[in-house]
């Protein structure tokens, strides 16, 4: 078996920085898990290091490593994230000898496209393949003159929500920052949206929803690093208001996410009692409803202008009664919230049925009448299994994982 190459960025990739407010036990457990599921180093067979996914500081350090001044990092950043350029020889502000040295030491990659499908409704889905052969799915959902890219953060998921297709696939590994950023860049390539349009209006790829495969808060450091890169004003420059991160409720990391990133938060609620949520979102056994809602109340920026989205998958006869709608309203009282009702999207072998449309409407009316906006999400891309909860890849973990 080949020896594993040394990790490229030991310090910067530490999965959790200090002073994060986690208990010691919690911190140790999450760190141990992150190490087991760490992505492979972002280095190719020739030992060339990938530049996508490096923070600005890391890029400057990489330039210093080949004897270049820090301003080179700024120049490169512009080429990578404003121009979307992948070929050093086309970076015209860089002299030829340096272009050659860059080509020898570094790469500017994109995920391999194993499959690209476009739905009758315009939704596009990619199956991306990474250098170690693992795969994830990414979806672009157009909406008039704008649209959202739904990105994945893990290959598979450790959690096993009973209504979710990804949940049937064990966690294979976390995605690295390069792989998370790479999904958005590759989607942009596909629509030719380079150079980055000035301003935020008129972009086809105007928003990001971190709602693909995996639980982003169980791969927080890589996700945070990737989103920070995508929010940088001198590059892609997406505002944090245009990014929504969805979690099934990893309470201690919700606080970190709010303090450090301040992106919009979506919480996968799906049930209004611990008894039911314990069964359908098993993470509830660790962080029950009261703790989850308290974390939502603490979330910075949770104001009427920036409400927290609660996602509620409508499962026929399981969680869709009018009593449950009233209880939902009671639970949310005082929280700046919006409720996204998601009719259950079936997948091969799924154990639930979608709620009847009139039941979804009644549920929505009750929530709406209490003053909460409660849009019913139209399934998008269902013909190509691109709708919420339908993503899954054939990737499997080679060895049995501890406790997995
Ligand atoms: N792991 C994160 C983000 C990915 S899931 C989370 O759970 O929030 C994105 C959303 O799709 C979640 O709200 C999830 O509960 C929902 N979902 C999962 N399976 C679904 C299905 N079959 N039909 C409709 N929504 C589903
Ligand atoms: Fe994982 Fe989210 Fe699916 Fe639950 S709903 S199994 S947390 S991806």
């Amino acid at each position: 078996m080949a020896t594993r190459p040394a990790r490229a960025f030991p310090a910067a990739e530490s999965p959790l920085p200090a002073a994060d407010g986690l208990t010691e036990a919690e911190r140790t457990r999450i760190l141990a898990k992150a190490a087991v599921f760490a992505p492979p180093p972002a280095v190719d067979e020739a030992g060339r290091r990938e530049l996508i996914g490096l923070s600005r500081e890391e890029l400057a350090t990489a330039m210093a490593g080949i004897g270049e001044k820090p301003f080179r990092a700024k120049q490169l950043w512009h080429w990578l994230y404003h121009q979307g350029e992948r070929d050093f020889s086309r970076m015209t502000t860089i002299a030829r000898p340096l272009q050659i040295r860059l080509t020898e030491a570094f790469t500017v990659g994109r995920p391999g496209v194993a499959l690209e499908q476009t739905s009758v409704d315009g939704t596009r889905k990619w199956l991306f393949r990474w250098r170690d052969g693992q795969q994830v799915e990414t979806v672009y959902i157009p909406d008039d003159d704008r649209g959202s890219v739904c990105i994945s953060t893990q290959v598979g998921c450790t959690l096993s929500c009973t209504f979710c297709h990804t949940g049937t696939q064990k966690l294979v590994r976390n995605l690295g920052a390069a792989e998370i950023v790479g999904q958005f860049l590759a989607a942009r390539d596909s629509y030719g949206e380079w150079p980055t349009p000035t301003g935020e209006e008129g972009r086809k790829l105007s928003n990001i929803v971190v709602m693909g495969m995996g639980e982003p808060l169980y791969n927080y450091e890589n996700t945070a690093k990737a989103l920070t890169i995508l929010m940088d004003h001198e590059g892609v420059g997406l505002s944090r208001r245009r990014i929504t991160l969805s979690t099934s409720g990893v309470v201690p990391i919700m606080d970190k996410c709010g303090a450090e990133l301040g992106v919009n938060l979506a919480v996968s609620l799906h049930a209004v009692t611990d008894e039911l949520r314990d069964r359908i979102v098993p993470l509830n056994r660790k962080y029950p409803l009261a703790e989850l809602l308290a974390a939502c109340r603490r979330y910075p920026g949770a104001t009427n202008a920036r409400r927290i989205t609660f996602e509620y998958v409508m499962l026929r006869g399981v969680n869709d009664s009018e009593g449950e709608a009233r209880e939902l309203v009671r639970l949310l009282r005082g929280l700046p919230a919006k409720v996204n009702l998601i009719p259950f999207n079936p997948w091969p072998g799924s154990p639930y049925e979608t709620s009847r449309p009139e039941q979804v409407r009644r549920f929505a009316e009750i929530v709406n009448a209490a003053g909460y906006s409660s849009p019913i999400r139209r399934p998008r891309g269902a013909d190509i299994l691109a709708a919420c909860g339908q993503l899954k890849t054939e990737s499997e973990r080679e060895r049995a994982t501890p406790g997995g």
Side-chain angles (χ1 to χ4, degrees):
M1 213 167 103
T3 41
R4 213 173 144 86
R7 284 168 64 82
F9 322 110
E13 276 196 1
S14 160
L16 288 173
D20 46 33
L22 296 176
T23 65
E24 202 44 47
E26 199 107 51
R27 191 179 157 76
T28 308
R29 193 180 57 77
I30 295 175
L31 280 170
K33 213 167 207 171
V36 173
F37 295 107
V43 175
D44 75 2
E45 320 73 51
R48 294 181 304 173
R49 191 195 244 196
E50 176 56 54
L51 292 184
I52 297 293
L54 298 189
S55 66
R56 272 179 177 272
E57 297 70 38
E58 288 167 346
L59 193 57
T61 308
M63 288 306 105
I66 59 163
E68 287 295 319
K69 297 243 161 50
F71 81 91
R72 289 289 177 208
K74 196 174 160 65
Q75 244 177 356
L76 266 173
W77 191 271
H78 179 86
W79 284 111
L80 301 183
Y81 298 115
H82 180 77
Q83 299 288 357
E85 185 54 70
R86 300 177 50 191
D87 183 344
F88 291 114
S89 73
R90 285 206 290 261
M91 300 185 180
T92 47
T93 55
I94 296 174
R96 187 79 192 127
L98 179 55
Q99 288 178 352
I100 294 168
R101 276 169 44 232
L102 289 171
T103 310
E104 285 162 1
F106 303 108
T107 55
V108 181
R110 293 288 193 267
V113 181
L115 185 66
E116 177 178 305
Q117 291 168 284
T118 306
S119 155
V120 289
D121 69 13
T123 301
R124 188 169 292 180
K125 182 171 88 167
W126 297 269
L127 175 65
F128 287 132
R129 182 180 291 135
W130 312 112
R131 60 177 92 242
D132 63 353
Q134 302 295 1
Q135 311 193 115
V136 298
E137 293 188 314
T138 304
V139 179
Y140 171 68
I141 309 132
D143 185 7
D144 297 330
D145 55 347
R146 53 203 284 277
S148 301
V149 182
C150 176
I151 58 181
S152 295
T153 54
Q154 299 184 307
V155 183
C157 188
T158 33
L159 304 171
S160 34
C161 305
T162 51
F163 46 82
C164 174
H165 205 192
T166 310
T168 65
Q169 181 184 358
K170 281 198 181 129
L171 179 65
V172 178
R173 68 166 174 84
N174 285 328
L175 294 183
E179 295 166 330
I180 299 171
V181 172
Q183 294 169 61
F184 185 80
L185 302 185
R188 267 247 182 116
D189 293 346
S190 174
Y191 286 90
E193 197 165 69
W194 295 112
T196 294
T198 43
E200 289 197 58
E201 298 308 316
R203 294 186 182 202
K204 279 204 228 51
L205 283 67
S206 58
N207 292 62
I208 290 181
V209 291
V210 188
M211 295 188 181
M213 296 168 60
E215 170 48 58
L217 297 189
Y218 272 150
N219 184 18
Y220 177 74
E221 278 310 307
N222 288 310
T223 302
K225 194 170 165 193
L227 295 181
T228 304
I229 291 170
L230 293 169
M231 288 191 282
D232 189 288
H233 293 307
E234 290 180 31
V236 172
L238 270 184
S239 116
R240 62 195 169 92
R241 293 184 316 275
R242 294 194 180 266
I243 299 179
T244 303
L245 180 145
S246 175
T247 180
S248 56
V250 187
V251 165
I253 322 263
M254 284 165 65
D255 290 318
K256 264 172 83 63
C257 176
E260 295 174 3
L261 299 177
V263 294
N264 298 321
L265 185 69
V267 172
S268 296
L269 197 67
H270 309 315
V272 294
T273 62
D274 282 321
E275 191 272 324
L276 178 62
R277 199 164 187 272
D278 279 353
R279 276 193 284 132
I280 67 176
V281 183
L283 184 66
N284 194 68
R285 296 176 206 154
K286 193 171 278 153
Y287 306 115
L289 279 171
E291 281 184 39
L292 176 59
L293 291 167
C296 292
R297 288 176 203 282
R298 290 194 297 270
Y299 195 77
T303 60
N304 281 326
R306 286 188 64 211
R307 292 165 294 175
I308 293 182
T309 301
F310 288 90
E311 294 156 289
Y312 199 96
V313 59
M314 300 294 292
L315 307 169
R316 187 185 299 185
V318 175
N319 66 353
D320 63 353
S321 70
E322 289 157 51
E324 282 160 311
R326 283 189 289 273
E327 179 58 12
L328 175 60
V329 165
R330 199 187 65 77
L331 286 179
L332 297 184
R333 196 161 293 152
L335 247 171
K338 146 180 175 185
V339 179
N340 253 348
L341 298 174
I342 318 175
F344 169 67
N345 293 309
W347 33 271
S350 56
Y352 298 105
E353 286 178 278
T354 309
S355 299
R356 293 181 202 284
E358 61 275 17
Q359 192 61 27
V360 179
R361 262 198 308 276
R362 269 201 291 276
F363 198 100
E365 273 162 21
I366 294 170
V367 178
N368 223 352
Y372 295 104
S373 144
S374 52
I376 299 166
R377 201 184 282 172
R378 238 174 347 131
R380 300 290 303 269
D383 55 329
I384 54 167
L385 281 185
C388 291
Q390 293 184 316
L391 307 184
K392 181 178 189 263
T393 62
E394 298 304 319
S395 294
E396 279 178 18
R397 199 166 163 83
E398 277 169 26
R399 300 173 279 118
T401 57

